[in-house]
Amino acid sequence: MCGRYVILSPPEAMRQAFGYAEQPNFPPRYNIAPTQPIPVVILANGGRHFRLMRWGLIPVWVKDPRQFALLINARAETVRDKPAFKNAMKRRRCLLPADGYYEWHQSEGRKRPLFIRPRNGGLIAFAGLSETWAGPNGEELDTVAIVTTASHGELAALHPRVPVTIAPADYARWLDGDVADAQEAAPLLRTADDGEFVWHEVSTRVNRVANDDDQLMLPISAEQAEAEATKAMKPAAVRKAAPAVSGDDGQGSLF
C-alpha cells in the first residue's frame, strides 16, 4: 500500500516536470498523510492543471462521509470493476507528484519504517483516481486515491503492495480518457522494475503524523534501531487523553 510520502522538489521544478498552467508555491513536505490536501495533476479543458485534493477518495454515491472509510489506495487489479473506482478509471485519472514514500516492513517482531526513493533521485508520479463528492447542501470536495499493485522482485521483500508510478512518456496516455480508455490505460498499472528504487530504514518518528522534518528521511544507525526496538518492547505508559481541539483533525495542512 502507500500511506505516507514526501514532496521535496521546488514548486517550479514540479511545474516544469508536469506542464501545468498554475504557479503554486509550497514548502517541502516530509510526512504527507491521508486526509491531508495534496497536489494533484489533472487534465481539464485541453490542458494540465494543478489541484489540491483530499487524500482519501469518497465515491459520489456516499451519503455521509463520516460513516464511510476513506479509500486512500485503489487496487490496480480491480479498478475497472469496483463501483468506487470504475468511473474514475474511465474519466478521472490523475497524477500525484512525489519524491519518495515510506513503507513499513515487518521484521524481527516489529514494523520497521523504510524510506523508498528513485535510484537516480528526482520526481516520480503516482497513478491516481479522483472523485468530486457533492454534499446535500451543495458543498463539494475533491478527493483522490493512489493506485497500488502487487510488488515483485526486490520490492516484494519489503511489502506485498507498491504504489504505481507512471513514466513521463506515459503521462498523456494516463491523464487523457479520450486518448486511452480504461482498458487501454490498464497496462500502465505495473510495478517498478528491479533497480528503479532504493531504500533504507528510518526512525519510527515517521509514525507520528505531527513530525514533518527532513530528519525523517535520514538512514537510522544500528544503535538507533536497537534503541527503538527496545523502547517498542516496553509497555506503553497510560496517559490521560488530551482535550479535543475543535476544528483540528490532527493531520495538519499541506501549506
Side-chain angles (χ1 to χ4, degrees):
M1 62 172 294
C2 180
R4 302 281 180 85
Y5 70 99
V6 305
I7 296 177
L8 310 176
S9 295
E12 184 57 27
M14 188 184 298
R15 179 172 178 265
Q16 291 296 325
F18 290 94
Y20 47 74
E22 294 74 20
Q23 299 184 42
N25 186 28
F26 48 84
R29 287 294 311 279
Y30 304 98
N31 197 9
I32 299 173
T35 77
Q36 293 179 351
I38 58 176
V40 176
V41 180
I42 65 170
L43 184 70
N45 301 317
R48 296 181 190 175
H49 296 278
F50 175 101
R51 293 289 185 272
L52 283 180
M53 297 187 184
R54 183 182 179 183
W55 185 8
L57 186 141
I58 304 175
V60 294
W61 38 261
V62 170
K63 300 297 183 182
D64 186 354
R66 295 171 299 181
Q67 299 178 10
F68 183 81
L70 295 181
L71 303 171
I72 68 169
N73 291 157
R75 295 176 68 91
E77 298 87 344
T78 57
V79 288
R80 286 185 289 167
D81 304 313
K82 289 285 187 180
F85 303 119
K86 63 180 182 180
N87 289 330
M89 182 62 184
K90 292 177 183 177
R91 290 294 178 183
R92 287 177 292 279
R93 303 191 296 262
C94 55
L95 297 169
L96 285 72
D99 288 270
Y101 67 99
Y102 298 101
E103 191 54 84
W104 279 258
H105 174 57
Q106 186 72 33
S107 174
E108 299 178 3
R110 69 185 186 95
K111 291 185 176 181
R112 300 172 179 266
L114 307 172
F115 178 59
I116 304 171
R117 63 172 179 82
R119 179 177 295 276
N120 297 321
L123 277 161
I124 53 177
F126 295 142
L129 300 175
S130 70
E131 283 287 5
T132 299
W133 178 82
N137 299 317
E139 67 271 32
E140 292 187 346
L141 182 63
D142 293 328
T143 66
V144 66
I146 295 174
V147 182
T148 69
T149 190
S151 55
H152 68 68
E154 297 173 339
L155 290 171
L158 308 181
H159 196 276
R161 308 290 299 179
V162 292
V164 172
T165 54
I166 303 295
D170 294 320
Y171 287 174
R173 181 180 171 195
W174 175 252
L175 289 172
D176 196 338
D178 292 328
V179 170
D181 62 20
Q183 182 174 350
E184 293 169 328
L188 298 177
L189 301 178
R190 62 175 187 82
T191 189
D193 294 329
D194 281 350
E196 285 190 40
F197 286 87
V198 294
W199 54 87
H200 56 259
E201 185 174 352
V202 296
S203 169
T204 54
R205 289 185 62 243
V206 74
N207 296 353
R208 182 173 171 79
V209 174
N211 294 329
D212 189 357
D213 57 76
D214 58 2
Q215 300 298 303
L216 297 178
M217 302 182 303
L218 296 180
I220 190 172
S221 67
E223 292 77 11
Q224 288 175 304
E226 183 177 354
E228 290 190 354
T230 302
K231 183 178 179 180
M233 295 176 62
K234 294 180 179 179
V238 177
R239 296 183 298 176
K240 293 183 179 180
V245 179
S246 176
D248 181 7
D249 63 4
Q251 296 291 356
S253 171
L254 181 65
F255 296 111

